[in-house]
């Protein structure tokens, strides 16, 4: 079986079918899934009226201390599926009327995903919905298979990314991956309210970390087109208690408004903002193997 260096962790370990690995993500070669269902709570150009076909992958190459999907990212809850089973899951979501096929946290399964979508390309756009800690060569290898990239840019400074995600080189790797994503998809295209190709950069505003938000917005302004779609999220909930006191509360209105003000000052043309009411656990999906 292949030696895995699919993400910036470069674990260089075997990932066999059926066997959970010794790598950072702890996952086997085949995808492990926790849920596959229509999901209405993504950006409007991803969810539309009927929902995106969200496929939630288990395991993670970040395992952030504040993760709201803790039971699948840290505890690895999920069910392993074969390529044919995965294709059947995708087809079922298409038949349910999904506007998009939304791969949620797929980074550590890129080799498997390449095999699947080289064999079967859905009739609706495929969305690569990632925490951002991607290897640029892995992203390059997906050209032609992914229609919409939906990466996080979580942190700018290495001390912050090391503290919260044990990834000191997070921004270096994430920013290079984003530049490759942009190169692949070019100018965004939206038809009947649904993004057909393009990139949306997500950023979750964290308590007492608005400096990270502002640095990221300034980087986007300096390195990407001014019409780049940016999603500024206020939905942070202290789902798990951490040793970092600043993360054990929701953000306050003033913090979110400060970030929005910088977005406007920089002159961005396309943005998605959230209501403060989004910061609640009711919006976290139930990971119960639905649709698997």
């Amino acid at each position: 079986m292949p030696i895995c260096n699919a993400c910036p962790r470069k674990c260089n370990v075997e990932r066999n079918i059926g066997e959970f690995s010794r790598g950072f993500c702890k996952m086997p070669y085949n995808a492990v899934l926790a849920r596959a269902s229509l999901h209405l709570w993504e950006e409007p150009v991803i969810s539309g009226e009927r929902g995106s076909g969200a496929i939630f992958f288990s395991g993670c190459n970040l395992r952030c201390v504040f993760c709201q999907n803790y039971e699948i990212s840290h505890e690895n809850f999920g069910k392993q599926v074969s390529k044919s089973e995965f294709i059947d899951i995708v087809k079922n979501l298409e038949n349910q009327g999904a506007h998009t096929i939304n791969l949620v946290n797929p980074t550590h399964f890129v080799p498997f995903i390449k095999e699947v979508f080289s064999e079967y390309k859905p009739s609706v756009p495929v969305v690569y919905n990632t925490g951002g800690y991607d290897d640029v060569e892995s992203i390059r290898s997906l050209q032609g298979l992914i229609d919409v990239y939906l990466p996080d840019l979580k942190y700018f400074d290495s001390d912050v990314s090391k503290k919260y995600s044990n990834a000191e080189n997070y921004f270096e790797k994430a920013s290079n991956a984003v530049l490759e994503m942009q190169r692949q998809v070019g100018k965004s295209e939206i038809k009947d309210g649904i993004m057909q190709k393009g990139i949306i950069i997500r950023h979750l505003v964290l308590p007492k970390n608005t400096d990270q938000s502002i640095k990221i917005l300034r980087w986007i302004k300096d390195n990407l087109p001014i019409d780049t779609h940016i999603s500024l999220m206020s939905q942070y909930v202290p789902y798990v208690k951490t040793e970092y006191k600043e993360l054990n509360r929701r953000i306050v209105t003033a913090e979110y408004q400060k970030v929005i003000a910088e977005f406007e000052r920089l002159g961005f043309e396309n943005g998605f903002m959230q209501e403060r009411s989004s910061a609640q656990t009711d919006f976290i999906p139930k990971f119960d193997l639905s649709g698997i």
Side-chain angles (χ1 to χ4, degrees), residues 50 53 90 93-94 97-102 120-127 147 194-196:
R50 297 189 300 271
V90 171
L93 291 169
E94 289 181 278
H99 288 290
T100 55
I101 297 299
N102 181 7
Y120 176 75
K121 188 70 166 68
S123 59
V124 296
V126 176
V127 180
D147 303 294
I194 302 298
M195 186 171 283
Q196 303 299 306

Side-chain angles (χ1 to χ4, degrees), residues 56-124:
F56 290 87
F57 292 83
S58 302
C60 188
N61 74 333
L62 280 175
R63 295 205 292 267
C64 306
V65 296
F66 53 82
C67 184
Q68 296 177 6
N69 294 347
Y70 194 90
E71 62 188 295
I72 66 173
S73 64
H74 288 241
E75 298 176 348
N76 299 329
F77 171 78
K79 177 183 177 183
Q80 188 174 175
V81 299
S82 66
K83 285 192 296 181
S84 61
E85 289 171 328
F86 191 94
I87 290 171
D88 286 342
I89 289 168
V90 171
K91 289 179 177 178
N92 184 45
L93 291 169
E94 289 181 278
N95 291 336
Q96 291 178 51
H99 288 290
T100 55
I101 297 299
N102 181 7
L103 310 177
V104 184
N105 194 26
T107 297
H108 47 302
F109 287 112
V110 164
F112 177 87
I113 288 167
K114 284 168 53 182
E115 288 194 28
V116 166
F117 289 113
S118 294
E119 184 174 328
Y120 176 75
K121 188 70 166 68
S123 59
V124 296

Side-chain angles (χ1 to χ4, degrees), residues 121-140:
K121 188 70 166 68
S123 59
V124 296
V126 176
V127 180
Y128 186 89
N129 182 346
T130 169
Y133 196 44
D134 289 276
D135 180 75
V136 69
E137 293 301 325
S138 288
I139 296 300
R140 189 171 290 126

Side-chain angles (χ1 to χ4, degrees), residues 137-154:
E137 293 301 325
S138 288
I139 296 300
R140 189 171 290 126
S141 75
L142 292 170
Q143 182 158 1
L145 302 177
I146 303 298
D147 303 294
V148 177
Y149 283 103
L150 186 59
D152 287 342
L153 275 180
K154 294 179 182 291

Side-chain angles (χ1 to χ4, degrees), residues 5-71:
N5 287 300
C7 87
R9 298 284 179 189
K10 301 295 182 185
C11 296
N12 202 40
V13 298
E14 283 190 359
R15 287 176 61 182
N16 300 311
I17 294 173
E19 298 179 12
F20 281 57
S21 81
R22 292 176 290 108
F24 186 91
C25 71
K26 306 300 182 187
M27 291 288 105
Y29 179 82
N30 279 6
V32 178
L33 307 178
R35 183 181 180 89
S37 63
L38 295 181
H39 190 62
L40 293 167
W41 300 324
E42 306 287 28
E43 288 76 5
V45 294
I46 301 297
S47 291
E49 295 181 354
R50 297 189 300 271
S52 69
I55 301 173
F56 290 87
F57 292 83
S58 302
C60 188
N61 74 333
L62 280 175
R63 295 205 292 267
C64 306
V65 296
F66 53 82
C67 184
Q68 296 177 6
N69 294 347
Y70 194 90
E71 62 188 295

Side-chain angles (χ1 to χ4, degrees), residues 147-167:
D147 303 294
V148 177
Y149 283 103
L150 186 59
D152 287 342
L153 275 180
K154 294 179 182 291
Y155 327 102
F156 187 90
D157 292 329
S158 59
D159 59 332
V160 180
S161 61
K162 182 178 181 179
K163 180 169 64 169
Y164 293 156
S165 295
N166 192 27

